[in-house]
Amino acid sequence: MKALVERLHPICRSMTGDGVRRTLEIINERIPLQVHEVPTGTRVLDWVVPQEWNIGDAYVKNAAGRRVIDFGRSPLHVMGYSVPVSGTMSLDELRPHLHSLPDQPDLVPYRTGYFRQDWGFCLSDNELRALPSGDYEVRIDSTLTDGHLTYAEHVVPGTSDDEVLIFCHTCHPALANETLSGIAVATELARRLARRAMPRLTFRFVFAPAAIGSITWLAMNRERVARVKHGLVLACAGDPGRLTYKRSRRGDAVIDRALALVLASREHELRDFLPLGYDERQFCSPGFNLPVGLLTRTPNGEFPEYHTSADNPDLVTEDALRDTLAVLEETAQVLEENATYLNLEPYGEPWLGPRGLYGVPGVDHLALLWVLNLSDGQHSLLDIAERTGMPFPALSAAARALSTAGLLKEEGNDAQGGGPG
Amino acid sequence: MKALVERLHPICRSMTGDGVRRTLEIINERIPLQVHEVPTGTRVLDWVVPQEWNIGDAYVKNAAGRRVIDFGRSPLHVMGYSVPVSGTMSLDELRPHLHSLPDQPDLVPYRTGYFRQDWGFCLSDNELRALPSGDYEVRIDSTLTDGHLTYAEHVVPGTSDDEVLIFCHTCHPALANETLSGIAVATELARRLARRAMPRLTFRFVFAPAAIGSITWLAMNRERVARVKHGLVLACAGDPGRLTYKRSRRGDAVIDRALALVLASREHELRDFLPLGYDERQFCSPGFNLPVGLLTRTPNGEFPEYHTSADNPDLVTEDALRDTLAVLEETAQVLEENATYLNLEPYGEPWLGPRGLYGVPGVDHLALLWVLNLSDGQHSLLDIAERTGMPFPALSAAARALSTAGLLKEEGNDAQGGGPG
Amino acid sequence: MKALVERLHPICRSMTGDGVRRTLEIINERIPLQVHEVPTGTRVLDWVVPQEWNIGDAYVKNAAGRRVIDFGRSPLHVMGYSVPVSGTMSLDELRPHLHSLPDQPDLVPYRTGYFRQDWGFCLSDNELRALPSGDYEVRIDSTLTDGHLTYAEHVVPGTSDDEVLIFCHTCHPALANETLSGIAVATELARRLARRAMPRLTFRFVFAPAAIGSITWLAMNRERVARVKHGLVLACAGDPGRLTYKRSRRGDAVIDRALALVLASREHELRDFLPLGYDERQFCSPGFNLPVGLLTRTPNGEFPEYHTSADNPDLVTEDALRDTLAVLEETAQVLEENATYLNLEPYGEPWLGPRGLYGVPGVDHLALLWVLNLSDGQHSLLDIAERTGMPFPALSAAARALSTAGLLKEEGNDAQGGGPG
């Protein structure tokens, strides 16, 4: 996974443009993607797809002709969606277009000028302060024209139409942990799911720009929204910090409860929904009210490298990526195997001995008794896990053994759809 | 407000009689009152309006003819509802009719003999113990005759019939904090409400004797009770202690939640309903079950001056009166502005920029996002304030800005009526 | 009560057989029992009544003819349901049939071989390790034949068909605290109930073997199960440890709340339901879901003498038995007197004075006010006790006084039946 982060890191991504397309091509080498191109001007919910932005070269040259700021060194040096500029200007004229971080003087910030018809360069505060006055040649060789917004989907089909949505944003250049670690983990999860027997749930991975991307996906998939029973936005997935789950707007959706259960055995933090953050804001808008939470390690804005040139592959560890992946796999198991069963011998305890249910390897006796006791059609395995504190896999194994022995019948699985609430 | 307390302090008030009428005349100088006179013998709920009590003079004279107890010095010296008495008696005969506070030997207690056909004098324990044996001339020049129970109302009309009831008892003589501070704060609140644009809610102020007064008001207003959506009994409103709110019997009425919200930013205490106290006992009887709580500073019985001559204007500070008034005004704002809205662009976040909703002075961006997110017709602004911890005025301002921009529609306001529950 | 424990202690009880019958005969001397005999092979719920086991003599003799293990000394020395055996064998052959407690080397363990067609002896580890090698004469003079499972009932009839079920298991030999203390306390409770006026509720005491006994009772009483409104399994009722109540599967049944209320004034522990334990497992199976909890002092398995020869009458104190009995009597009072009343003068507080309800001896004024305030047909006395923290007997006395005065009418009592949930 870290190799994918490193490979994607140098690409100049933004809300639209060829950097996004190049990113999706590389992901496509690992998992097949269906790429969608939505034309500029398309109405998407309350928004409009913006013009497409691309950039060739960009620099600021000093009087000696040396590039003192050079897009070629890092895409962070140019503010996203900068309009084209070409000319010579004094440092005083240039200065309002230069962005730095006085508190982190070694780092280059990440900035965008979406919807502003502006241009700018980013550089370290040390570099900025070292610029002598005088004239500078300034050039941004960008285009901002009618084009497309690009996003992609990868689907692992399940036996049911119920879907699990995994969303990663693709719009940030050169931010290894914030953007690329989520993409890497999601890609690996998709590969692993594909290697197994067909799941019950359909897993849909969406790679799209933040905000306008989820808005566009929602606008293009109004009829599909009701199928989304569980969802996660993934970001900041590779730093060594502890895992943090931000609940969906519902707060008690199955996905919220599944994450709480899976994270319980790890150092972690649970947070309530807040309408600031990533694309969960759109999925959790009141009209959709989807059960979609946000999984991160250290949350956005809370690690010092956030939105700077220090969010480079060094910040991302393979261990952290693997740990995030493990949580996703355990969560997928809960979502897949959670079901409500009916005890078919509910009067008194069934006589387990003659049914060969004593001392079955891999089947916990107390888990058997709990599943029998609470399988009255009112309690899902997740309910039972929460009430008893027993590990979900033990309860799921007990339910399988009891079903095989004819003592249990599946009544339904606990899916939830969207809608106001 | 303190001036009003001082002016009302010397008057001899009781459950009925001219002292109450004089008190209402003075309040009427500030806010117009509608005075009601209910005849003795009128059946009010399970009770009967008692005879009216008035008193001219009262004293105990010693052998030398000196008034050793003198009603002229303070109305507290005579037990309320004392029947007339005139004669000479020994200290031994007089003694059972003399009331003092051995634990607070400098203070004169407040006593009444309602419904008892008794008479008595109150004096400090020091004075009592200094009385030599011998004969005393005893006179209480009182009348206990068929007459009226007097209470008054002041109404600040609103655009709706829904009412806020503010109740102050008027029946205690010379108790500055216990009785008069509530009257002073309520009177000032009424004056301030009258200076503003017509409120949505109708504010009804009732000045009546404790217990039998609220019982009489309820009996006379059976048809109006269902209009009372929120209510407060006010007492002990001027001492420097922290504010204390005792919830209505419902416990989670809007008035209970509004006070909890307003008091959260001050040192305060919240208490559950208890069927001991002031007139909230009657409003919260199970047949009415009105959403009426009790607001005090230090609660009745919990300050050492309570029901003694030490509850004089020195105990009441203008700062405390103003602080109580401020809480009432902030509470009135919550009651007035609390409403449930519907986000008219509920699918995804609306595009705020083109609607001029970025950086509006006085409008908090996070408050905008929360109001949009939770305005699904299920959450009032009070719900949103409780869930998010954001200040109610910020949410209300956001709702106004969003309504003006056409993004929000009012669905209803959160009123509650009476009835068993 | 302790005398009954001592008298029952030496008897060899098991799941079936004459030891159980003898035990029931002795209980029958104190309270009349209806004894039921259910034939071997009878289908009971998912189970089948097993063969009946009886035992005459049993021993292991050493080469010198001395009984080194002797059933005559304690019934614990023979594993319950041991099949007959007779012969001479070496220590090596005998060894797998000998059970001891290496961690408690002085104590003889309690073991059974239900449903296993096995045989065995129990002895202290010290005795076991002292056995020299050589040949031993081994004899178990038992019979395992078609017969009956024996259980008994004692009923204290009430004015209603609603029942309180008290269940004690009878199947363990020579375990004074674990088995016999519960029997002794239940027997004394039945005697005390019989001495009083007929209760409202019918109290049914069941003495039956653990597990198969409650299963059999449930199978024989399918139509009666819906009448069981409250129930307790009693065991481990005589040790000096603190009382422990394990809630029914419902968790908030009236019996669960009544025990929490009664135990609140004592050192105690409350535990949630768990499908391990005594016969509450059967009553709380999802098909029946009866409101039956488990009352013990130190719970099964948590005192070091549990299931050993040290669980002898020395472990049981009369004080502990009396304390358990007192809890049962207080609980019975709550179950008997809990009712939901309707205040017949619900508008304002009723005028108590003219009704003679001031200063009534034994009637607490605040209890009167609370019962009046909350008797809106929605709150039982138990609800009121929980909400107010007032003692249940005070509330019950207030309700009686108010009913006598015509201010209160009983609306119903809070009974609950079985059924999934």
Side-chain angles (χ1 to χ4, degrees), chain B residues 221-392:
Chain B
N221 291 277
R222 291 294 285 264
E223 84 297 334
R224 186 183 301 282
V225 158
R227 296 190 192 170
V228 176
K229 304 308 180 192
H230 322 283
L232 281 176
V233 173
L234 265 188
C236 308
D239 68 276
R242 68 178 176 187
L243 283 150
T244 300
Y245 178 68
K246 174 181 157 185
R247 296 182 185 92
S248 77
R249 178 179 183 271
R250 301 178 175 210
D252 63 350
V254 167
I255 188 69
D256 300 322
R257 298 165 54 201
L259 261 299
L261 201 68
V262 168
L263 293 176
S265 60
R266 290 166 164 86
E267 201 192 350
H268 75 284
E269 185 181 345
L270 298 178
R271 298 185 177 185
D272 282 333
F273 178 74
L274 181 80
L276 287 175
Y278 288 107
D279 295 85
E280 69 280 3
R281 293 164 64 162
Q282 310 306 328
F283 298 119
C284 295
S285 57
F288 294 115
N289 194 31
L290 291 174
V292 176
L294 168 66
L295 183 65
T296 61
R297 300 192 71 86
T298 306
N300 44 308
E302 301 181 19
F303 50 98
E305 302 87 350
Y306 177 75
H307 276 194
T308 74
S309 51
D311 185 358
N312 60 46
D314 291 347
L315 179 59
V316 173
T317 72
E318 192 71 33
D319 278 356
L321 293 166
R322 280 204 199 106
D323 184 52
T324 307
L325 178 63
V327 163
L328 289 176
E329 291 193 278
E330 290 173 37
T331 303
Q333 184 190 11
V334 174
L335 300 179
E336 279 284 297
E337 299 178 6
N338 186 33
T340 299
Y341 292 92
L342 196 65
N343 176 345
L344 299 174
E345 287 287 349
Y347 295 99
E349 290 178 1
W351 203 358
L352 297 178
R355 291 190 167 85
L357 287 170
Y358 270 124
V360 185
V363 179
D364 181 271
H365 186 64
L366 184 56
L368 278 181
L369 293 179
W370 268 125
V371 170
L372 282 169
N373 191 273
L374 292 176
S375 288
D376 53 10
Q378 308 294 313
H379 299 90
S380 68
L381 291 186
L382 181 53
D383 292 331
I384 300 174
E386 289 175 341
R387 172 159 171 178
T388 66
M390 299 207 70
F392 185 90

Side-chain angles (χ1 to χ4, degrees), chain C residues 28-71:
Chain C
N28 189 59
E29 295 171 9
R30 282 166 173 77
I31 54 172
L33 294 183
Q34 182 179 7
V35 176
H36 302 263
E37 299 277 358
V38 183
T40 297
T42 304
R43 176 127 196 132
V44 284
L45 303 181
D46 194 47
W47 300 64
V48 173
V49 171
Q51 288 194 308
E52 180 175 330
W53 183 70
N54 282 292
I55 182 165
D57 195 4
Y59 55 79
V60 173
K61 284 186 183 165
N62 63 12
R66 191 174 67 80
R67 292 188 173 204
V68 295
I69 309 177
D70 183 2
F71 172 72

Side-chain angles (χ1 to χ4, degrees), chain A residues 346 348-349 351 355 373 376, chain C residues 46-47 249 281-282 284-285 287:
Chain A
E349 288 179 2
W351 202 359
R355 292 191 166 86
N373 190 273
D376 53 10
Chain C
D46 194 47
W47 300 64
R249 178 179 184 271
R281 295 165 62 163
Q282 310 305 329
C284 295
S285 58

